[in-house]
Amino acid sequence: MLWPMFAIVLGFIGVAVLAVLAVRVYTEVRRLSAEVALAGRRIGAASADLEREAAGLARAGHDVRP
């Protein structure tokens, strides 16, 4: 009767360890998704700045050419 109880305890411990690891993965995925969203917003802002400056540069270049 000792071995079946030992196997049940080991199974429970294994499931508990997997649950803890699943929670850690979940929190890291949430953190990573927040950072990806922030990077996307920064890229969007940089793209808008680049587009605005490119338009100004094109106007300035058009004025210089004969």
Side-chain angles (χ1 to χ4, degrees), residues 23-40:
V23 169
R24 289 182 63 188
V25 167
Y26 175 75
T27 57
E28 289 298 318
V29 166
R30 297 257 330 211
R31 186 184 62 81
L32 179 62
S33 66
E35 288 189 23
V36 167
L38 177 62

Side-chain angles (χ1 to χ4, degrees), residues 8-66:
I8 291 171
V9 168
L10 282 179
F12 179 75
I13 290 172
V15 169
V17 168
L18 287 177
V20 169
L21 292 176
V23 169
R24 289 182 63 188
V25 167
Y26 175 75
T27 57
E28 289 298 318
V29 166
R30 297 257 330 211
R31 186 184 62 81
L32 179 62
S33 66
E35 288 189 23
V36 167
L38 177 62
R41 286 192 297 270
R42 286 182 180 173
I43 289 172
S47 174
D49 291 345
L50 183 61
E51 189 174 332
R52 186 175 52 249
E53 294 299 323
L57 186 60
R59 280 191 302 266
H62 183 14
D63 293 341
V64 172
R65 294 180 71 172

